[in-house]
């Protein structure tokens, strides 16, 4: 029985990946449940400890307890460790220890790394992991130094350094956790160029994906970018620019959000709120005070999310680009989806469509469930569900008011969102056998 269970776990990289994240969350829940983790010196309820551990490991940022005031230094460090392991992936961290121990990476471990980093082949996977670790540490350290220097103007040196490290790790991993206190996030720094620009750079660099970062660093030598990097950079740039424009226009005259700010501060806030939904969850404006049109637009940005192989969630920028390419090809009467003069394989388009439909189905189903159990406005529920599934962490204030059932639904969504609905399907489903025949082609009328 035990041997068959081990075969069931180790026989599938997606399954091992799913159970690995579950184990990390379980350990985090136990640690956060200790009295030493809370300022009051009391045990945190299992559901709140589980919610926080899941949110941290799945780099989401939704919280039922204020990170800055409820948790002690020990509790905050547990959260920070979960963010780092969850953001880079537990297999990446395990590989780091293997490097230190000078142990060879086995074929099975390479297969799991391939699945964890969303790669199409194992070629160069260990070299990529080395780069992932180096890039992450260098970027996080740089961000920590820059934020610490700015925070020195507002607090003691020790506190400023700690705040710089915590928020740099959180923002780069697109987690959205903050320790500003009272659920304020960066609202106190809405017009501060240093904090906003550094935070946006950390979020964008974490959301681009390590493959793109590697390509950009190698560009000076190779003078070329892969198709993947071109699509990610173009889509990311478009979404940030268009998103900032929409938010700026919708919120310019809103007295509860942007109106009191100067023109430059308005631009800064618009860009920050365009970057954060993909998928960091940081906010410099009060989300609940935004106009409904802006809130719904943020839902769309959250749904798209970051890029493959990154610390972010959502359906991913490449999925979005493939779908747009397919629509354009269909309208033009073309058979091939072409991006940057390259034809996409039909299997890639099918995968993009499958991920989008699965994600949309889960979001709609969860929203419908919460509509039956939570007495709140539909948009508020849709916003919370999309934020959880896309591992964003933005909220309109609903997290604190969720029932026990609502918290469980959000926990499940955060977990599925971090693993990916397709990976979850591969993990829980049977391994497909060899196809021995094909059915005759049939025709139906579409549209």
């Amino acid at each position: 029985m035990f041997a068959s269970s081990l075969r069931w776990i180790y026989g599938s990289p997606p399954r091992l990946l799913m159970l690995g994240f579950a184990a990390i969350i379980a350990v985090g829940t136990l640690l956060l449940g200790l009295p030493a983790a809370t300022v009051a010196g009391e045990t945190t309820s299992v559901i709140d400890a589980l919610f926080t551990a899941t949110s941290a490991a799945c780099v989401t940022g939704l919280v039922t307890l204020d990170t800055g005031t409820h948790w002690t230094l020990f509790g905050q460090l547990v959260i920070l460790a979960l963010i780092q392991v969850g953001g880079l992936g537990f297999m990446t961290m395990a590989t780091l220890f293997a490097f230190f121990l000078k142990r060879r990476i086995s074929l099975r471990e390479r297969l799991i790394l391939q699945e964890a980093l969303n790669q199409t082949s194992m070629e160069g996977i260990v070299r990529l992991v080395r780069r992932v670790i180096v890039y992450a540490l260098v970027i996080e350290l740089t961000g920590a130094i820059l934020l610490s220097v700015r925070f020195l103007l507002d607090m003691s040196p020790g506190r400023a350094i700690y705040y710089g490290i915590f928020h740099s790790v959180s923002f780069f991993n697109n987690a959205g956790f903050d320790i500003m206190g009272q659920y304020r996030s960066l609202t106190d720094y809405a017009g501060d160029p240093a904090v906003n620009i550094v935070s946006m750079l950390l979020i964008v660099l974490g959301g681009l994906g390590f493959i793109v970062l590697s390509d950009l660093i190698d560009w000076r030598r190779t003078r070329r970018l892969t198709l993947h990097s071109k699509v990610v950079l173009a889509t990311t740039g478009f979404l940030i620019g268009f998103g900032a424009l929409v938010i700026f226009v919708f919120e310019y005259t809103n007295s509860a959000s942007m109106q009191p700010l100067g023109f430059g501060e308005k631009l800064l806030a618009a860009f920050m709120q365009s970057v954060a939904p993909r998928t960091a969850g940081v906010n410099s404006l009060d989300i609940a005070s935004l106009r409904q049109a802006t809130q719904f637009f943020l839902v769309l940005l959250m749904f798209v999310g970051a890029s493959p192989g990154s610390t972010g969630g959502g359906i991913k920028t490449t999925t979005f680009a493939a779908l747009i390419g397919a629509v354009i090809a269909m309208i033009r009467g073309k058979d091939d989806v072409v991006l940057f003069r390259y034809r996409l394989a039909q299997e890639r388009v099918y995968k993009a469509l499958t991920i989008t439909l699965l994600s949309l189905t889960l979001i709609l189903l969860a929203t419908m469930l919460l509509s039956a159990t939570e007495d709140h406005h539909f948009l508020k529920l849709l916003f919370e569900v999309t934020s959880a599934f896309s591992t964003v962490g933005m909220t309109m204030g609903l997290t604190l008011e969720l029932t026990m059932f609502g918290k469980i639904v959000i926990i499940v969504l955060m977990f599925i969102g971090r693993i990916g609905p397709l990976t979850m399907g591969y993990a829980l489903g049977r391994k497909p056998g060899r196809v021995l025949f094909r059915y005759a082609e049939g025709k139906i009328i579409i549209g």
Side-chain angles (χ1 to χ4, degrees):
M1 181 69 179
F2 181 71
S4 63
S5 297
L6 284 178
R7 282 196 300 270
W8 184 83
I9 293 171
Y10 285 103
S12 167
R15 199 173 293 149
L16 188 57
L17 199 63
M18 180 187 72
L19 294 175
F21 267 101
I24 292 168
I25 292 169
V27 172
T29 302
L30 290 173
L31 293 175
L32 292 176
L34 297 174
T38 65
V39 172
E42 300 173 352
T43 57
T44 301
S45 66
V46 175
I47 188 66
D48 285 328
L50 176 61
F51 193 102
T52 305
T54 305
S55 184
C58 297
V59 290
T60 305
L62 291 174
V63 292
T64 55
L65 301 166
D66 184 60
T67 311
T69 57
H70 179 81
W71 305 106
T72 60
L73 177 62
F74 170 74
Q76 291 173 3
L77 290 177
V78 169
I79 291 171
L80 198 63
L82 289 171
I83 290 171
Q84 187 71 85
V85 175
L88 298 184
F90 78 95
M91 275 307 300
T92 303
M93 301 304 292
T95 306
L96 174 61
F97 287 113
F99 290 156
F100 282 133
L101 297 173
K102 296 182 179 180
R103 187 175 67 82
R104 187 175 176 276
I105 310 300
S106 68
L107 178 61
R108 175 178 283 115
E109 289 166 339
R110 290 168 192 262
L111 284 168
I112 299 167
L113 284 170
Q114 178 188 341
E115 183 70 32
L117 294 172
N118 204 12
Q119 297 297 290
T120 54
S121 82
M122 287 190 296
E123 184 181 355
I125 194 71
V126 176
R127 183 172 64 252
L128 177 61
V129 170
R130 287 196 184 97
R131 289 191 168 195
V132 165
I133 295 167
V134 172
Y135 296 163
L137 293 178
V138 169
I139 293 170
E140 287 174 352
L141 179 60
T142 305
I145 293 171
L146 294 174
L147 288 175
S148 298
V149 170
R150 171 60 188 87
F151 290 146
L152 278 171
L153 301 176
D154 302 328
M155 54 192 77
S156 64
R159 192 179 178 197
I161 292 170
Y162 175 59
Y163 271 48
I165 293 171
F166 188 98
H167 292 101
S168 179
V169 173
S170 177
F171 295 169
F172 174 74
N173 286 287
N174 280 222
F177 276 83
D178 71 90
I179 49 175
M180 295 299 177
Q182 303 303 319
Y183 309 99
R184 294 198 308 269
S185 192
L186 295 183
T187 53
D188 292 345
Y189 295 92
D192 190 296
V195 173
N196 279 267
I197 291 172
V198 172
S199 299
M200 283 190 283
L201 286 173
L202 286 169
I203 294 166
V204 171
L205 289 173
L208 284 177
F210 295 104
I211 306 158
V212 178
L213 290 179
S214 182
D215 255 12
L216 289 173
I217 291 171
D218 289 342
W219 186 81
R220 290 182 62 181
R221 178 174 54 84
T222 61
R223 292 294 170 180
R224 69 182 186 86
L225 294 173
T226 62
L227 174 63
H228 173 81
S229 295
K230 289 177 182 179
V231 172
V232 166
L233 292 170
T235 309
T236 299
F238 168 77
L239 289 173
I240 291 174
F242 180 68
L245 176 63
V246 171
I247 294 168
F248 184 82
V249 171
F250 284 175
E251 296 299 317
Y252 190 87
T253 58
N254 186 352
S255 59
S257 61
M258 272 193 190
Q259 193 180 47
L261 303 175
F263 185 79
E265 293 174 332
K266 285 186 173 76
L267 279 176
L268 203 60
F271 272 99
M272 186 65 182
Q273 290 313 135
S274 177
V275 168
R278 310 179 35 255
T279 58
V282 185
N283 59 286
S284 58
L285 299 174
D286 180 20
I287 302 300
S289 67
L290 300 178
R291 291 193 167 107
Q292 286 191 4
T294 309
Q295 292 168 347
F296 185 72
F297 181 69
L298 292 180
V299 168
L300 300 179
L301 289 179
M302 289 191 295
F303 184 69
V304 174
S307 302
S310 73
T311 58
I315 63 169
K316 304 296 191 292
T317 52
T318 48
T319 302
F320 176 72
L323 291 177
I324 296 299
V327 171
I328 292 173
M330 180 61 68
I331 291 173
R332 291 179 174 177
K334 306 289 186 182
D335 292 330
D336 296 330
V337 177
V338 178
L339 299 175
F340 291 97
R341 298 183 179 181
Y342 282 93
R343 173 177 55 84
L344 294 188
Q346 194 176 55
E347 176 262 334
R348 299 285 96 187
V349 180
Y350 282 161
K351 186 174 181 179
L353 183 61
T354 302
I355 290 171
T356 304
L357 285 178
L358 282 175
S359 301
L360 192 59
T361 300
L362 283 168
I363 287 173
L364 293 178
L365 179 61
T367 304
M368 185 173 66
L369 286 173
L370 291 185
S371 297
T373 62
E374 317 294 316
D375 187 20
H376 292 281
H377 191 273
F378 177 79
L379 180 57
K380 201 171 184 179
L381 295 170
L382 177 64
F383 194 99
E384 191 84 6
V385 166
T386 309
S387 178
F389 175 79
S390 298
T391 69
V392 176
M394 280 187 172
T395 181
M396 291 166 61
L398 178 61
T399 313
L400 303 177
E401 302 172 11
L402 288 170
T403 62
M404 175 74 78
F405 179 79
K407 290 178 182 179
I408 293 171
V409 170
I410 296 299
I411 287 170
V412 172
L413 282 172
M414 289 190 290
F415 185 76
I416 295 176
R418 182 65 183 97
I419 302 298
L422 205 54
T423 302
M424 283 285 290
Y426 291 152
L428 299 175
R430 290 184 177 181
K431 188 176 181 181
R434 190 162 60 94
V435 178
L436 301 177
F437 64 94
R438 295 179 70 186
Y439 290 101
E441 183 179 302
K443 293 183 180 180
I444 59 172
I445 299 172
I446 303 293

